[in-house]
Amino acid sequence: MVGVHPMPIDLDLLHEMKRFIKDLDAARAEEDIRSNRHNYITTTYYLLQKQVLREGGKTNVDLQLYL
């Protein structure tokens, strides 16, 4: 697709996900998130991201938007 940029992924959040999903395959998780698949991996990622933002923090993805 022309003009479509890959969605940035916060690798710190992926690392945090390993606390909840012990056998997480990081490469598969990245692919699922970039493809916006509707599964437990993307759900966990977006819930963690929302929690960080709700608590007043910033994710690495937020920081990339300002660079």
Side-chain angles (χ1 to χ4, degrees):
M1 289 186 214
V2 177
V4 175
H5 299 287
M7 183 170 72
I9 295 178
D10 187 331
L11 298 178
D12 291 339
L13 286 179
L14 278 181
H15 181 72
E16 182 73 15
M17 287 173 60
K18 288 194 175 214
R19 286 183 34 207
F20 305 103
I21 306 169
K22 300 296 183 200
D23 59 345
L24 181 71
D25 177 351
R28 177 181 172 217
E30 275 193 60
E31 177 63 30
D32 286 355
I33 294 164
R34 288 189 199 284
S35 300
N36 199 27
R37 290 199 177 100
H38 295 257
N39 60 24
Y40 70 97
I41 292 173
T42 56
T43 299
T44 304
Y45 178 83
Y46 287 117
L47 286 173
L48 281 172
Q49 186 179 52
K50 189 172 186 174
Q51 180 182 17
V52 168
L53 297 174
R54 186 178 56 241
E55 293 173 352
K58 293 206 178 287
T59 66
N60 290 335
V61 173
D62 293 334
L63 299 175
Q64 290 176 18
L65 296 174
Y66 296 105
L67 296 178

